[in-house]
Each structure stands twice: as C-alpha cells, then as structure tokens.
C-alpha cells in the first residue's frame, strides 16, 4: 500500500501532476477535500481526465487538513493504491427520500460489488445541510456485514451554512451520499473518536421533536429557550451555536451523543440538527477548553494508531475549529504525535463526524464536536 498527498490551488495548480500518480483502476482511490467555492470543480475535472478509471471521492469543507496543517491550500488530496485490496464505490441521491433507506441502498450496492470478499472498511460522505446523517448511518450499519468499520463525515461550508457539495467520479451534488469500500483480507481499518466537551446547566427533557428537528424542551419553545443562554450571541445563529452544542442522552443514559445546530426557524421556534434528537431524551448544554479539545484529539489518534498504517483520515467538527481559533493546529499536532508523523494524514472540518461509539463497529453513529481518526494499513494476504 502506498499513498501520495498533494494540493491544488487556482494559481499554481497541482503540487504533484495527477497523471504522474501510480494508480490502478481497481486498487486505487483519491480522497479530496476542498473549500466550497474555491474552484474545486476545475481540479476535480483534471483528476477525472488524468485518472479516468480511478475512484475519486471529494466533498466541501469547513477547513482542509493535511498533516498537522489546516487550510494549506484550497484543495488537499491523497491518492492511495493497494497491493491486492480492491476499491468499490457507490452513490445515492437522497432528496426527500428516507435517508435510512438510502443508507441501506448504499450498503447493498457495496456488499453486492464485494461478492464473497470481506469488506475491510467503508468511508462515507454526505451533504452537510439537509441530510439526516444519523438515519443514513443507521441504514448503512444495518445493511453492511456485522463488524464492518465505518467512518466519514458530512460536507461543510465554513461557518456560512449556505451550501455544501459531495463528489464521486465526476458527479457533484449537494443532497447525496457517496461511499467507498476497501475490499479484501489484506486491508485493515482502525478507528478513533473523542470529544473533550463537558456539560453545564440543567438537563432538560425533549418534549417535542421530529427526527433531527427540535421543537420543545420541557414544554417550552426550543429556540427561545436556547437564545436565553446565548444572550447577545443569539444574533449570530446558527454559527454561534457551534460554541455551545447540546448533548442528548437516552432516558436510561446508555446512549449519549453531541449535536450541533445546522439551522433555526424563527416562525416555529425550532432548531434543526445534523442528527436525530429523539422525543423523551434529555438535552444539556456543553462547553469546552482548548486543552479539553487537544486531549480528546490525542486520545482519538491513540485509538486509531496501528503499525504500518499507509493512510490516515481525520474528520473534526467545525465547532472545534471555531473554539480553537488560532490554536486549531494544536489538535492536529496531537493526532500526528499519536499516529506517527510518517503516516500520510488528510482530512477536513465537517458538519458531522461518522465513527463507532466506544470503538464498537456495531454502534457506529453520527457525532458532532468530535475528532475522528481512521487509519488504513495493508498486510500480505492471499487473494482468495
């Protein structure tokens, strides 16, 4: 297995000519993460022409990650080629359809293309503004073979929350999900996921919600109640909400997930989140410190570290970047220290992160305000 990282910007073009990459139609993929309006369409067209038979997956971001640097160029990419493992991909347009069903469709497509060969891991990326990511992930998890490693994230648009896009093999859309699967017993995925946030204030009961839309907390309009906590920063919604996410917990507390706001509706006083906020669960505000976030990133890196890793992907939340500010690269330093500075690292700041809960692949979920790290390696194995 070998990986090459490269960058692109409108002025100087590619740091490494795509046509010079040592890629194979069935055993290679390119991951690319780019500014939403940074001219990435031209770069992706060039990749398509230079590597017409290679799987190319890309999405817009709230910041590009390359090694321990953030935003080194409008587009960052990594081209990976396996010795024996194969790469399969699939795409679904979600629109008004049930995202759980669409997740199942993605899983069925990948499973069918893999045939009798084991799926080592799947990376999935979805639109960041209109897609219920937790339902998509639930459908994928239900449809993939038990124990399949699943990671990825939702596309971003800085702190603007205006438009996102996802790309697969020449097709770009704002309301879709794409996935690539690495197939074969020679490839190995290892995943890490940590937050670093703490709860504060009262725990309130979600008394009315619909999927990922929250209407009432303790019988009160959710948005007006939330604004009381934000004070003057309420004028900056929805971006200011990234500094004060909610943690939602099941009635027995067995499941706990962080949620950040994607949109607000003044008319019905509701808030739309990247994932589900079920009625009957509790919600509590959260806050963090720089040390809390960097410590969480370090643990996520340690959880994902493996010998001979040939590629690492970091997906962190836009809210973490807003909190860290000028110190954003400190959490990337923590990840690099944990996985080893010889491992090529690429990634992005997202509107939602996809990774297992507690390292259990069967408990994969959509998160907010986390750092997730995926490492991929390949060892010698029979080709079955």
């Amino acid at each position: 297995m070998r990986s090459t990282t490269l960058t692109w910007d409108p002025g100087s073009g590619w740091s490494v000519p795509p046509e010079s990459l040592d890629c194979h139609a069935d055993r290679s993929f390119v991951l690319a993460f780019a500014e939403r309006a940074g001219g990435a369409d031209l770069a992706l067209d060039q990749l398509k022409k230079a590597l017409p038979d290679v799987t190319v997956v890309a999405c817009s971001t709230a910041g590009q990650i390359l090694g321990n640097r953030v935003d080194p160029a409008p587009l960052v990419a990594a081209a990976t080629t396996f010795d024996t493992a194969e790469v399969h991909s699939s795409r679904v347009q979600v629109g008004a359809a049930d995202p759980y069903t669409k997740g199942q469709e993605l899983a069925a497509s990948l499973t069918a293309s893999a045939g009798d060969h084991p799926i080592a891991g799947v990376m999935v990326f979805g639109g960041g503004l209109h897609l219920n990511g937790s339902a998509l992930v639930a459908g994928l998890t239900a449809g993939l073979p038990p124990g399949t490693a699943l990671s990825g994230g939702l596309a971003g648009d800085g702190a603007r929350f205006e438009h996102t896009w996802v790309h697969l093999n020449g097709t770009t859309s704002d309301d879709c999900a794409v996935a690539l699967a690495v197939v074969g017993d020679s490839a190995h995925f290892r995943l890490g996921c940590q937050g670093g946030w703490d709860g504060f204030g009262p725990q309130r009961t979600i008394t009315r919600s619909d999927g990922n839309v929250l209407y009432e907390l303790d019988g009160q309009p959710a948005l007006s109640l939330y604004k009381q906590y934000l004070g003057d920063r309420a004028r900056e919604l929805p971006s200011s909400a990234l500094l004060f996410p909610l943690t939602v917990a099941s009635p027995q507390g067995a499941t706990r997930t962080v949620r950040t706001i994607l949109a607000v509706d003044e008319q019905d006083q509701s808030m739309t989140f990247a994932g589900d906020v079920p009625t009957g669960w509790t919600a509590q505000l959260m806050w963090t410190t720089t040390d809390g976030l960097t410590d969480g990133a370090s643990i996520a890196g340690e959880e994902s570290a493996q010998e001979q890793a040939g590629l690492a992907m970091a997906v962190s939340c836009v809210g973490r970047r807003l909190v860290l500010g000028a110190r954003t690269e400190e959490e990337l330093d923590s990840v690099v220290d944990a996985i080893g500075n010889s491992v090529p690292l690429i990634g992005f700041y997202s509107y939602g992160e996809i990774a297992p809960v507690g390292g259990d692949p069967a408990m994969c979920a959509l998160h907010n305000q986390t750092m997730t790290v995926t490492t991929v390696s390949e060892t010698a194995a029979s080709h079955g």
Side-chain angles (χ1 to χ4, degrees), residues 27-42:
R27 294 185 280 105
S28 299
F29 67 86
V30 178
L31 289 178
F33 304 118
E35 292 179 2
R36 189 259 289 178
D41 51 347
L42 174 59

Side-chain angles (χ1 to χ4, degrees), residues 337-381:
D337 287 345
I339 65 173
N341 57 19
S342 63
V343 181
L345 173 66
I346 189 174
F348 69 106
Y349 283 86
S350 74
Y351 283 178
E353 306 83 59
I354 297 167
V357 175
D360 181 359
M363 297 293 290
C364 189
L366 176 85
H367 308 270
N368 294 122
Q369 303 291 5
T370 59
M371 166 63 82
T372 67
V373 186
T374 303
T375 60
V376 187
S377 66
E378 187 179 31
T379 56

